Every structure is written in C-alpha cells, then in structure tokens.
C-alpha cells in the first residue's frame, strides 16, 4: 500500500520546499513477542514473561511516549526497566528533539539485556494512521501511539502465559483517551512508585515539582531568531562562557568586540542569567558606565544584598519554609566566597561587562559532586522525598537542586547528577540523581570522580577494538616479511633510558663514531603505526582518547596494553619494529645530515636514569653501550648549550612524587622530583628528533602537517610579577624568550637560594598553553615554539602514549616513501584541524586529571596529619594570599579576614568578615589597617615572595558542614609572621574552637608548559 | 490539429452554425463535457487538470514560493503585495504545429493574457499584446481583475512576500484552449494551500519569519472565489459560438475572449483574429459571454466544492485521499 507524506521546509536560502515522500505500508512487521505464533519473527526481543509491577494484574510490556524518553531517560536506562516497545513514531520524535538522547535510546536498543524492541508502527498496515483534518502533529502522534498500543493489546491477548501492554505517558489527557479506548495507561511516577525502589525514584526528573514558581528571578531568554539576528547586526556577542574558578558568579567570554578580540566579563547571578560554564551564550554589552574599572566587590556586594533581601523575605513566608532556610544558608558562604575571590589588581582601562540575553547551546553534562548536608532537613532514616542542594566537584558549576528519597544514605557519598532545566523562577538549576559512585574520600571513588570530571575515557577497550590486535598476541615476533622496506639495525648498540618501572618504552638511542670523526646518532621510536592502521576502530578509539593519562597510582592507556607495553615497547633483547631518525653529527653536535627510515632494532639494554647515570660515572664500565651513552651525553650537553644560547627557557614546576605503599597504594612519603643529567640526555635527542621531523613533514604537507606551537605570552601576563621582583632590584625582560631566559638566570638572591626556582615557577604560570595545530591553519610566523626557542616543532617521539605522534608517524612515512598510498586523513586540513582541537582538549584534561590525582594523594597523605612547613607567598588576592609549600608542591589560600562566627553575628548571617589586612593596589600587597603617615611602612604586611611558616592539615569540614563528606580541602594556617586574628598558635592550639577560618583551595593554575614539552612529564609522574 | 480547412468543410460548418447545428451535434451556446480534477500533483501547492471531451487537456500547477516584494519605482506601489507569475506552455506533443518553436507565439499570447487577467495592475494595461490588435481590460472589484487579494500574500511589507507561480501545461489540443486554461487555473488556485508563516519582530525594524512545517496547517488563497474564467466566443458567419472545436476555430473570422467573475462582472476582454465585429453584435456577444460564464462558474464551483468536501470527509475519518490523476479515463 502506498501512501504519501508531505511537509513544508524552509531552506537556508529562504526558499520554501514542499517535500512529499512516498510511504509504503507492509504486512510483514512482527510483534517480536517470544510466545507469539502468528508472527514469523526469528529472533524475538520481548520475553515471554515481561516486567511485573503491582499496579497491574498481568506481566506487561511498556510502550512509552516521546516525552518519557526525553524527560526520564535516566529512569529508562535503569536495569529494572526492560521489555519496552519503542514505537517508530516515538523514536523519530526523540531523534528530532534531542540527538544525544536518541543515541542513548539507540544504545539501549542495542543492549540485548534491556529487551527494547523497535516496532515500525508507521510502516505497519494495521497501525499507520493518516493525520486528521485540524489535528496537530502532536495529537496525531499521540493517537498513533494509542493505535499501536491497541494493536498490541489485541495481538497478544490470547497468548499463553497471559501478558498485556501498558502505555506510559505523563500526559493526563492522553491517558484518559487511552483508558476510554480500553487500554492500560500509567504515568512514570505511578509506575515507578509501584516498583518500590528508592534509587530509581530519585532518578526521576521532576522539574515541575521542584520549581517553586513563586517569583521570577531571572530575565527571560530571547528567542533564537532574535539572538541570531542580534548577533548578525552586532548587537549581541556570542561566545563560550568560562566561569572563574574562584567565583562561580563571575564569568567571561572571549570574543570580538568591535573587531578586536577581547574578554567580556559577566558578573553576578542576574547578569549570568542561568548560563552554566561551557554554554554557548549571547551577550549584550552593558553601557560603559557599568563597566568595571577596579575589580572590587561592588557588583558582588549588590548580589549579596539581594541574597540577603531574598532570604529575609523568604523567612517571612511561612509557607515556603524550606526555601527560606536554603536561602539563608546559601547567602553566607556565597557572600564570603564572592568577596574573597575577587582578584584585586587595579585596572587602568575599564573592562567591558555584559549580560547574558540568551543561550545558544547548552553544554550541560552529568556532574559529580555531593549533597549539601545543611540542605537536608528531614530526620535521619526518613525516606520521604526531600529537596536538597547538590554541590558539583567543579566549583564553576552552580548548586543544583535535586529531589531525593535517599538523602541520608547519600550524605558523604560522591554522586552523579544531571541538570534537567533551569526555569526563570528557580534560583538554582533543577536536576535529578543518576547514580552514586561511592564514599567520599575513598581513593577509588575519588579517582573515578576525577576521571569523570576531566572527561577522560577510562572504560575497558571494547572487543571490537581488541580485534584489531595482531592475532599472535603476546607471541608476535618480527617475521622475515617485516624487513621489507625496513633497515636492519639489530646489530647496533641501541639502548633505552626511562624512569624506573616504565613499561611503555617508546624511544631508544644509539651512537656510532664514524671514520671522519663525526658521529652517527639514531633515535628509534616504537613503530606504532605498523599496528594501528588509519581509520579502524582501534585507531578511532586512540584518536578519541588522544593521550595516555598518568595518575599517581594508575595509568589510563591510549592503546591496548598488548601494544603499549609489549609489541610496540622497545624492550631490551627483543626484536622490535621502529621508526628511526638517523643523524650525522659533527664534534660540535651540529647536524651534517639527517634521514628517516623504518627499521628493525634489538635494544641491548633498557636502563633507568639512575642506572645510566651510574654507568657514565663508573669509570670501570667500558662496554660499548656505556661508552655510547658517554658520547651521547657529551653531544647532549652541547646541544643543550646551543639551545639555551638560542633562548630556550628553563622553567620549573613544583612537581612531587609519592612513594606508595605496595598493597594499599596509600601514599607514605612525598619527595620532590629530582632531575639527573641523563634526563637531559634523552630530552635533548628527543627535541632534536621532533624538530627534524617537523621540518620534514611540513615540507611534504605544507597545508596539513600536524605541528605544535607555543605562542609568546602577552606582556600583561608579566605585569604583576615584574612589579613584585622590582622590589628586589630585579628586572624581567620578556620581549623574547632569550631575554627572558637571561633575566631568569641573573635573578638570584644569595640569601634566598629557593628564590630563583620560585621565580621560574611563577614565570611558568605566565606562559601560554602549547597547542597542536594544522600547518595550513596558521601563518608560518606563528609556528614558533616560544619555550623551546625553535621555529618549528612537533611531537614524534611518544606514539604509544600520544595520538599526535601517531599522526606525525603517518605523515613522516608518507614523506619518505613516495610509493605509499594514504587517505585524506593526512591531507584534509579540516579534519586535521578538528583532530588538533580534540587532542588539545584531551591533553589539557589529562594534565588536569594528573594534577587532580596528585592533589588527591596529597590530601590522603595529610589525612590525620598536621605539618608545619616553610612556604612562599606567590599570589596576592584582595583579601587573601596564596602560599606555595615547596616541600610538598602544594598551594593554599590564607584568608586575610577573620570570619565572624555565626553565634556572634546572630540574626544577619551574612555579616561581612572583618578584614584584618587590606589590599594596597599600589604596592600589590596586603597591609594592616592602621592609618599611615606619608612614607611610613605599615606595621605588618604580606607581599609576594615573602617567606612564611604555615600549618597544613586537612579540612574536611568546609562546605556543607559534615564530617568526611565534602570537598576535602587542605587547610593552611599562618604561623609566622604573627598577625593578630589570622595566625594560629601552631599545633598546640589547634583545637581552639575560635580558630579563624584559614583555609585553602585547590590550585588551579596551569602547569608549566614548556616543561611538559621538553621532558616527558606525565611519564615521570609514575610511581 | 489540422492547419488548413477545405472550402467544402468550411461551408459545412458555416451552414451548420447558421442552422444552430454544429459538426459534433452541439448547438451554438453548448459547451462540451468538462472533466476536472484538483490536487493531481502532490508536490505542488495546488494543481488541477481540465479536459474537454474533444481532446483539449490542460494541467495547471500552482507553486507558492517566497521572494522579495516588487515595488513600482514610480508609484511606490506593491510594497505590501504578493505576486502572481503566470506561464503557459504548449507541449510539442499536443499538436503538430507546436513542434520546434511553433508554439512560441501561442505560449506568449496565453501567458500575457493570463498575467493581465489574474494579476491586474496598471502596467499591464498599457502593454499591448503582440498578437492582439485591440485590447481592453476593465476592472470592477477591489481586488483587481484577478480577484485574488494580493495584500494577503505579503509576509513582511517591503521585504518578503509569497509569489504564486501558476504554470499551465497544454498536454493536448482540441480547441478552445483559453477557456480550458482559465478553468484549470481557477480550480488550481482553489486547490492551493499556502503554508502559514509566523513573523517575528526582532527589534530595530528587523523582522524574520518561520514557515510552519505542517503541510496541513495552511491557508487558502483569499479571493479565489472572485477569480474570473474566460468564455471564448467565435464569430463564424453572422453567428457566434462557444467552445469551438479545432475545425471551427479555423473558420472563425473574429474571436472575443470575455473574462467574467461569479458576480457577472466583466474582468477582461480580448479580441482576436482579423475579422471585425459590429458594435451591436459585440455588445450581444459580451452579454452572452457574461451570462454563460456566470453559469459555468456556478457549476464548476459546485463540482470543486463537492470534491473538496469528499476529501475533507476522508481526512476526518483518517482515510487516505486517493486521486484518479493520470489513471483517469
């Protein structure tokens, strides 16, 4: 039977199309019920005895409508929900409304255990319906669902054992109509409640119930047509919202303002207007008079007042008792946080400020976090549903209001929550519970949290991916046919030098003195691309993972471990495939010539840095490998010197490594990382190889080579640092990397040996992030790598743990072998650009995850410990300062205000904390409040680089006020110098109940960039 | 279609008409049987197929599209009006004479006539058709000669409007093309559904609009009832006939096309062929055309309405609407 379907479409060019599709109806679409004898299906999906729910007499199949999937996808994903008939009508509507949800539905359908069956009702003779005159498409689809349900009900009514179908919809009108037709219909809520399972009850999104809806807090968002028109006309600006990590009420977008790139600040709750970090938003600039000249707390104060006002108002409203409570509680930490976080340095020109007028695309994801203990008001053990507030681990995310029946059992746990909506009437976004991860503070839970939070894919490799591994598995060996197109370097004295415990060895070296007095030096890199062919599932998986992630106690591999730690790893005394870079260097380590080739090597030794160093130092060792290392060492020193002369930077970061207890993997000791000469040896040759390869692939692929650049930092980044060191009579010239390097070298204070290192650490923070890019996307001048002082650079030497290197290997192979055929993945500029974007993102996330992991272990280390340590002030904030403790590589905030305890402040919980030290914008330091005569120095002051003594402990009672539940934080308290009201009396007085709030937050600054290029930073983090 | 006629045949027809008996047995004011169906092409906004029993077969489609408004640079008129763009084409297969460029002149004549009768405006009054010597058009109702309310077709005044492309394709020729084309056009416009639009005010004097994607949620063309049809009167000898067959057309001395709407108002007049018409006969012919046209419209409207009602009933019951289309005999 042939039918027609027609709809109108407006094309991009403004034309209107009437699309008419032929629609054929069939009589061979089966019901897929196991016991059905009428239908001729071969692999029935729906089981003979489906779900049982006490709301219904018979076991039944569920037929949900579209909104059930759209609003309650998390419930549908719950293992309790099985035997569902997904109608084609519903599936198409879901696809039209939300692609991510459609994908999740598809995944469920693919999952055999879920028993989700897609019934093509639109193509079924018995269930297809024509749209009635004056019937809206929605009504038509609802009717189609009812008709299909009816068909099923009739079709299965005589089956044995007896079963039925249940239509699930939250639309009461639809339910009534279904009942009138003699069908069984139920809402999600009733259905779930009848299941008696609190967990799944919590997963139900109940946005409407949670919205108190009493007064409108936020302005309405503009329609998408308004926004796109406004953006076209330049009235609104578009950008991705980045929330400040110090203050979740302050965000910014980076966009073009009147043709110039710049940042627009968005300050305060009402200006942010329900935008969440990462959303693509449309912003309207505020009039110049409202731009911020000094980043003082003016706007924030206003916010505070508002909060206060609201809370007072709410208190008067007896009806909204809980809401009031929430608000009062909220107001206090908010106020504290907001003012504390405002960074205080005087701005000469007013900074553009804006407000959000609309949201172009939401970037909501699932958030890890915990429930605010203070928001739980029911007595322990109660399982009545309560509205509670949820704090995300990421401080940029606002609190989320959720409704839960398991509030008490979830306290102190890490849970995952999704945002459903953020109506204008609700102060906080409304979400629902998804699942609990485990106890807070537990190492494995916290590790999972940090992987989830940094978007690190850490699932096991799928069977499909593993199917692309060599079939021989561990017994794979180099076969004679592998020598085709490869040079045989098995006889060379190749060795590898890596950190102890390293199993994924991706580089090895050799050197041979030549007759003419020069040296042949070879860098051999694991030939990963021999095993990972472009475009297959394993390659796609690796490309999406982007990099191997190194945590303190584990490693998340980019490639299956058979490749990473075995077949590709250049282990000693086995033959391995390699990609070699062979130079002829003269005595001064200058390159005479270079060539690249695929090869077969057999490493003679895999050494640790220490072993290699010992070999160099031990004069009695005279074997070939050792003397090779000595020559390499000599050449490396010359290379390094030349690089430094060119202006390469030596920066530093306070990196530490943990000694872990063997069984529990708990940290027992922390030590600073030590660098040996041999670290530099490997590093120099890797740099040399990377630069040589970069030139080669750029020559072959001028438009699509994968390169890496490091932009010059803008001078604004250095302003504060320059001011601070000027005090010591030191000047920093950052005009080129060479001058910067020289000024760093000369910046030495004899009385403070750590000063130079500290300065290098702080310089590192002024740097830009190094990035992968596609050579066609930038002009040649921008290829420069600032930190390494080279005009071109790429990553070639670690293909086992970085996908960029895999691409570079492929491009290099294509460059040296003209007979090689390759796909457009090497030449397509757009694809390469997208890949670079992903790799940069994954890289950043991997770094942050690694850092969070270190932080986690630092916390574990300090658990039940209190240490007194020396530290340095590295940053001054308006009412706090940040202290770095070199011994542990940790940073913490010390507040310069004494917190007014709640008891004192009585009614107004939002009273301002009493400032003890105030910020002086002229000297960029904090000083005591007494009035000063001209030229007089204040009694006490805190300035950059100042050495202080701090007491470090774990403060697990910060937010939410519960024991052991929340974001555990390092607490840093000032011991020396003694400042009344801020300092504490060491360990003896620790239990003083009046202890002033001196706390610390996570360090969030960027890691040293050039450092991770030069060395193989992540790798060294491994214990 | 024969291009020549023998003197004997001509004499036969002439004498017959004198006696009020035509070659096919009709009387002078008799029309042939008209077969009409609307909605025959699903991709269009509206369509109709008209056949006259002797062979004339015309397919008319209306396509609604969006375009910029056409403003008269002198008078500034038209900023708030939609447009109707007509085109008539005779398929080469319809007649031997239409092969090659044979139909160009006829196409041109019919297209211009339709444009003038449907989207009447001042410019079309002055532009004389190349093939017709004396031409005159008169308009009586407020919506112009075509009857269609062009203002309703405007979406954003001064910017965007609906443009109705009316395309008539002559599939077969069996005489009396003009009447068939206009009957078809009227029925196709009757069948036309224009998607609804929602205009959004973006502020700053900017507007944008969305087209509702539901093919059912549409509007009719306002003023469609007031559209005229044409009655062609052929003067043969001292008499005049309607709905001439090809042979009769060859005998015609003078031709008068009378466009008339349902209230009997004269919407257009066009004289063709070389022969003259005496004033008294001219008035009689116009009067006759008007009366006949009015009856014709009534009958056509009744048929179209009956068809639309039948479709509606089917839709309301959720049954598929099946058209005979080209399977109809």
């Amino acid at each position: 039977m042939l039918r027609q379907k027609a709809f109108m479409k407006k094309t991009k060019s403004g034309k209107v199309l009437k699309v008419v599709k032929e629609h054929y109806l069939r009589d061979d679409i089966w019901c897929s019920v196991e016991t059905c004898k009428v239908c001729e299906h071969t692999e029935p999906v729906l089981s003979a005895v489906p779900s049982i729910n006490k709301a219904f007499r018979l076991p039944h199949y569920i037929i949900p409508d579209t909104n059930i999937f759209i609003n309650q996808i998390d419930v549908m994903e719950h293992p309790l929900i099985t035997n569902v008939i997904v109608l084609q009508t519903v599936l198409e509507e879901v696809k039209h409304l939300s692609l991510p949800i459609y994908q999740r539905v598809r995944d469920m359908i693919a999952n055999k255990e879920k028993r989700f069956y897609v019934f093509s009702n639109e193509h079924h003779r018995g269930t297809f319906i024509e749209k009635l005159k004056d019937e809206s498409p929605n009504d038509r689809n609802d009717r189609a669902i009812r008709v299909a349900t009816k068909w099923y009900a009739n079709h299965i009514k005589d089956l044995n054992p007896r079963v039925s179908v249940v239509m699930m919809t939250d639309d009461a009108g639809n339910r009534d109509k279904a009942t009138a037709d003699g069908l069984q219909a139920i809402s999600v809520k009733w259905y779930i409640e009848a299941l008696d399972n609190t967990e799944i009850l919590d997963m139900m999104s109940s946005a409407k119930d949670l919205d108190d809806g009493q007064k409108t807090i936020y302005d309405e968002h503009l329609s998408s047509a308004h926004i796109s028109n406004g953006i076209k006309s330049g009235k609104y600006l578009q950008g991705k919202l980045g929330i400040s990590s110090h203050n979740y009420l302050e965000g910014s977008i980076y966009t073009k303002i009147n043709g110039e790139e710049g940042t627009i600040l968005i300050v305060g709750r009402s200006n942010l207007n329900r935008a969440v970090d990462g959303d693509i938003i449309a912003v309207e600039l505020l009039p110049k008079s409202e731009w911020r000249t000094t980043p003082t707390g003016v706007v924030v104060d206003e916010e505070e007042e508002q909060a206060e006002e609201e809370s007072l108002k709410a208190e008067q409203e007896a009806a909204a008792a809980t809401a009031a409570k929430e608000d009062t509680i909220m107001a206090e930490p908010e106020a504290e946080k907001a003012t504390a976080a405002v960074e205080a340095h005087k701005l000469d020109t007013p900074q553009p400020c804006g407000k959000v007028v609309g949201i172009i695309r939401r970037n909501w994801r699932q958030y890890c976090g915990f429930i605010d203990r203070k928001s739980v008001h029911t007595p322990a053990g109660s399982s009545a549903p309560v509205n509670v507030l949820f704090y995300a681990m990421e401080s940029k995310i606002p609190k989320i209001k959720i409704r839960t029946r398991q509030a008490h059992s979830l306290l102190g746990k890490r849970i995952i929550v999704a945002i459903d909506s953020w109506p204008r009437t609700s102060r906080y976004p409304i979400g629902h519970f998804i699942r609990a991860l485990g106890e807070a503070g537990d190492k494995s839970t916290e590790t999972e949290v940090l992987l989830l939070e940094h978007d690190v894919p850490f699932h096991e490799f799928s069977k499909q991916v593993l199917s692309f591994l060599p079939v021989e598995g561990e017994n794979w060996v180099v076969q004679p046919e592998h020598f085709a197109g490869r040079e045989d370097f098995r006889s060379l004295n190749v060795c590898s030098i890596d950190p102890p415990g390293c199993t994924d060895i991706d580089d090895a070296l050799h050197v041979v003195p030549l007759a003419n007095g020069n040296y042949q030096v070879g860098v051999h890199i694991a030939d990963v691309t021999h095993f990972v062919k472009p475009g297959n599932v394993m390659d796609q998986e690796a490309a999406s993972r982007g990099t191997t992630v190194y945590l303190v106690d584990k490693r998340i591999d980019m490639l299956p471990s058979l490749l990473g730690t075995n077949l590709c790893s250049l282990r000693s005394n086995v033959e391995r495939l390699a990609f070699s870079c062979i130079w002829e260097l003269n005595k001064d380590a200058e390159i005479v010539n270079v060539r690249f080739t695929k090869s077969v090597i057999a490493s003679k030794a895999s050494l640790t840095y220490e072993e290699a160093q010992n070999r160099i130092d031990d004069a009695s060792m005279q074997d070939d490998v050792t003397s090779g290392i000595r020559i390499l060492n000599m050449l490396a020193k010359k290379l390094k010197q030349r690089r430094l002369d060119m202006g390469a930077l030596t920066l530093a970061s306070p990196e530490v490594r943990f000694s872990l207890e063997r069984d529990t993997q708990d940290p027992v000791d922390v030590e600073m990382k030590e660098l040996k000469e041999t670290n530099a040896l490997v590093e120099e040759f890797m740099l040399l190889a990377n630069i040589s390869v970069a030139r080669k692939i750029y020559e072959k692929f001028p438009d699509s080579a994968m390169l890496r650049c490091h932009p010059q930092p803008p001078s604004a980044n250095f302003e504060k640092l320059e001011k601070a060191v000027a005090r010591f009579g030191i000047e920093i010239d950052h005009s080129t990397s060479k001058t910067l390097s020289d000024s760093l070298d000369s910046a030495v204070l004899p009385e403070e040996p750590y000063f130079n290192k500290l300065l290098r650490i702080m310089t590192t923070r002024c740097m830009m992030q190094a990035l992968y890019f596609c050579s066609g996307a930038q002009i040649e001048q921008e290829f420069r790598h600032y930190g390494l002082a080279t005009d071109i650079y790429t990553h070639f030497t670690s293909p086992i743990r970085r996908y960029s290197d895999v691409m570079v290997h492929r491009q290099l192979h294509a460059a040296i072998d003209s007979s090689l055929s390759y796909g457009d993945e090497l030449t397509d500029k757009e694809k390469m650009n997208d890949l670079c974007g992903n790799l940069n993102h994954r890289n950043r996330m991997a770094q942050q995850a690694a850092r969070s992991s270190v932080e986690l272990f630092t916390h574990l280390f300090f658990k039940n410990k209190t240490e007194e340590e020396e530290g340095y002030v590295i940053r001054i904030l308006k009412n706090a300062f940040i202290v770095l403790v070199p011994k542990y590589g940790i940073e913490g905030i010390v507040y310069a205000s004494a917190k007014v305890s709640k008891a004192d402040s009585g009614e107004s919980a939002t009273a301002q904390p009493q400032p003890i030290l105030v910020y002086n914008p002229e000297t960029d330091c904090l000083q005591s409040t007494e009035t000063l005569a001209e030229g007089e120095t204040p009694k006490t002051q805190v300035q950059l680089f100042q050495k202080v003594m701090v007491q470090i402990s774990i403060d697990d009672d910060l937010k939410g006020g519960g024991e052991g539940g929340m974001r555990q934080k390092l607490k840093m308290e000032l011991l020396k110098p003694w400042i009344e009201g801020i300092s504490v009396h060491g360990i003896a007085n620790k239990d003083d109940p009046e202890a002033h709030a001196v706390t610390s937050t996570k360090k969030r600054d960027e890691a040293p960039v050039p450092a991770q290029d030069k060395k193989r930073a992540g790798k060294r983090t491994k214990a | 279609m024969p291009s020549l006629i023998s003197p004997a045949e001509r004499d036969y027809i002439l004498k017959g008409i004198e006696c009020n008996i035509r070659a096919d047995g009709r009387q002078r004011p008799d029309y042939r049987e008209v077969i009409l169906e609307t909605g025959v092409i699903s991709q269009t906004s509206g369509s109709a197929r008209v056949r006259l029993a002797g062979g004339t077969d015309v397919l008319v489609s209306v396509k609604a599209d969006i375009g910029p408004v056409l403003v008269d640079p002198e008078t500034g008129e038209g900023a708030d009006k939609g447009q109707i763009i007509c085109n008539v084409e005779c398929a080469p297969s319809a007649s031997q004479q239409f092969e090659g460029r044979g139909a160009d002149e006829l196409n041109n004549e019919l297209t211009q006539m339709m444009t003038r009768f449907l989207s009447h405006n001042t410019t079309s009054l002055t532009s004389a058709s190349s093939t017709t010597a004396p031409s005159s058009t008169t308009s009586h109702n407020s919506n112009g000669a075509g009857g269609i309310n062009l203002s309703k077709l405007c979406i954003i005044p001064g910017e965007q409007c609906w443009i109705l492309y009316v395309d008539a394709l002559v599939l077969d020729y069996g005489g009396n093309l003009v009447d068939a084309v206009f009957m078809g056009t009227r029925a196709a416009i009757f069948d036309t559904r224009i998607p609804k639009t929602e205009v959004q005010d973006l502020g700053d004097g900017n507007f944008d609009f969305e087209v509702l994607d539901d093919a059912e949620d549409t509007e009719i063309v306002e003023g469609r009832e007031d559209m005229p049809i044409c009655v062609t009167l052929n003067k043969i000898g001292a008499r005049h006939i309607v709905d001439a067959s090809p042979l009769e057309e060859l005998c015609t001395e003078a031709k008068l096309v009378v466009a008339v709407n349902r209230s009997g108002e004269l919407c257009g007049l066009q004289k063709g062929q070389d022969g003259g018409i005496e004033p008294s006969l001219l008035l009689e012919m116009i009067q006759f055309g008007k009366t006949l046209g009015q009856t014709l419209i009534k009958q056509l409207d009744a048929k179209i309405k009956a068809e639309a009602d039948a479709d509606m009933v089917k839709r309301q019951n959720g049954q598929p609407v099946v058209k005979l289309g080209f399977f109809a005999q």
Side-chain angles (χ1 to χ4, degrees), chain A residues 455-628:
Chain A
D455 193 20
V456 175
F458 62 101
H459 50 87
E460 299 275 314
F461 287 99
S462 67
K463 274 198 188 113
Q464 251 185 316
V465 170
L466 297 178
S467 72
F468 284 93
L469 293 173
V471 284
E472 300 90 341
E474 300 212 340
N475 303 319
W476 183 91
V477 283
V478 177
Q479 301 287 341
E481 66 263 24
H482 290 132
F483 284 87
R486 291 179 187 272
E487 284 184 53
D488 186 355
F489 290 150
R490 283 178 298 175
S491 56
L492 293 174
N493 283 315
V494 176
C495 71
S496 61
I497 306 174
D498 286 282
C502 177
T503 51
D504 47 352
I505 305 169
D506 36 26
D507 49 74
L509 296 154
H510 89 268
V511 61
V512 179
L514 297 174
N516 60 3
N518 288 350
Y519 298 98
Q520 184 201 57
V521 177
V523 164
H524 310 276
I525 307 297
D527 191 7
V528 171
T529 51
H530 176 80
F531 298 98
V532 184
K533 296 297 177 203
N536 72 24
V537 181
M538 183 158 68
D539 183 56
Q540 284 167 10
E541 178 73 27
S544 101
R545 292 191 176 210
T547 175
T548 294
V549 181
Y550 293 93
L551 304 182
V552 173
D553 60 338
K554 68 198 240 187
R555 189 179 68 208
I556 315 293
D557 285 322
M558 178 181 87
L559 291 169
S561 66
L562 176 68
L563 288 185
T565 60
N566 191 348
L567 303 189
C568 290
S569 180
L570 304 177
R571 301 196 288 191
S572 55
N573 303 319
V574 278
E575 292 175 9
R576 286 289 176 248
L577 303 180
F579 208 147
S580 303
C581 176
I582 312 287
W583 299 274
E584 186 179 337
L585 299 182
N586 66 16
K587 280 208 159 55
D588 296 322
E590 282 158 355
I591 300 173
V592 178
N593 61 50
V594 59
R595 66 191 178 90
F596 310 93
T597 177
K598 292 239 174 180
S599 61
V600 180
I601 62 161
S603 172
K604 297 289 179 287
S606 17
L607 308 172
T608 63
Y609 290 115
E610 201 162 0
E611 284 166 2
Q613 189 65 46
N614 291 344
R615 279 187 182 224
I616 294 173
D617 297 343
D618 186 351
S620 66
M621 301 277 280
Q622 285 302 336
D623 57 294
D624 289 345
V625 171
T626 308
S627 49

Side-chain angles (χ1 to χ4, degrees), chain A residues 153-309:
Chain A
N154 286 334
H155 184 77
I156 62 174
K157 66 171 185 276
D158 297 326
L159 291 182
N160 191 23
R162 293 198 60 198
V163 285
S164 64
V165 283
V166 169
M167 187 172 105
M168 195 188 267
T169 175
D170 282 342
D171 175 352
N174 199 6
R175 275 202 305 273
D176 292 345
K177 280 184 193 154
T179 323
D181 283 355
L183 301 171
Q184 300 187 93
I186 194 167
S187 76
V188 184
K189 202 171 163 215
W190 293 343
Y191 190 87
I192 302 293
E193 274 169 358
L195 280 176
D196 284 334
N197 180 312
T198 45
E199 193 188 47
I200 192 167
L201 261 175
D202 275 2
M203 290 166 73
M204 208 166 67
S205 144
S206 44
K208 274 181 202 134
D209 302 348
L210 275 169
D211 181 9
D212 8 41
Q214 276 154 357
K215 64 185 163 11
T216 317
I217 299 171
Y218 298 103
D219 288 344
E220 200 164 358
H221 289 149
L222 298 177
S223 73
S224 64
H226 263 94
I227 292 170
S228 60
N229 192 60
I231 287 170
K232 228 184 277 168
S233 69
K235 190 175 165 204
Y236 306 136
L237 299 156
Q238 176 181 349
K240 186 174 175 179
L241 178 68
I243 297 283
S244 152
S245 51
H246 292 295
N247 182 358
Y248 73 96
L249 290 178
E250 183 182 310
S252 61
I253 61 165
Y254 189 75
T255 183
K256 271 204 165 116
I257 315 165
N258 303 329
E260 260 181 73
E261 302 248 308
T263 306
I264 300 173
L265 274 183
I266 303 153
V267 183
R269 205 185 288 279
S270 63
N271 282 342
L272 279 169
N273 196 0
R274 293 172 283 157
V276 178
D277 184 57
D279 289 349
I280 311 283
I281 52 171
V283 170
E284 184 178 16
L285 274 181
L286 293 172
K288 263 208 170 97
S289 56
E290 287 174 45
W291 288 14
R292 256 193 357 195
T293 43
T294 46
T296 49
V298 180
V299 186
V300 177
D301 284 343
E302 188 188 84
E303 184 74 32
E304 226 171 84
E305 271 169 31
Q306 213 176 358
E308 196 175 4
E309 212 176 81

Side-chain angles (χ1 to χ4, degrees), chain B residues 91-113:
Chain B
S93 61
S95 163
Q96 252 180 354
Q97 286 166 298
F98 298 161
E99 274 169 31
R101 303 183 65 85
D104 282 5
E105 211 167 87
L106 185 60
N107 288 346
N108 212 349
E109 179 186 344
L110 292 172
T111 302
Q112 293 218 26
M113 192 192 290

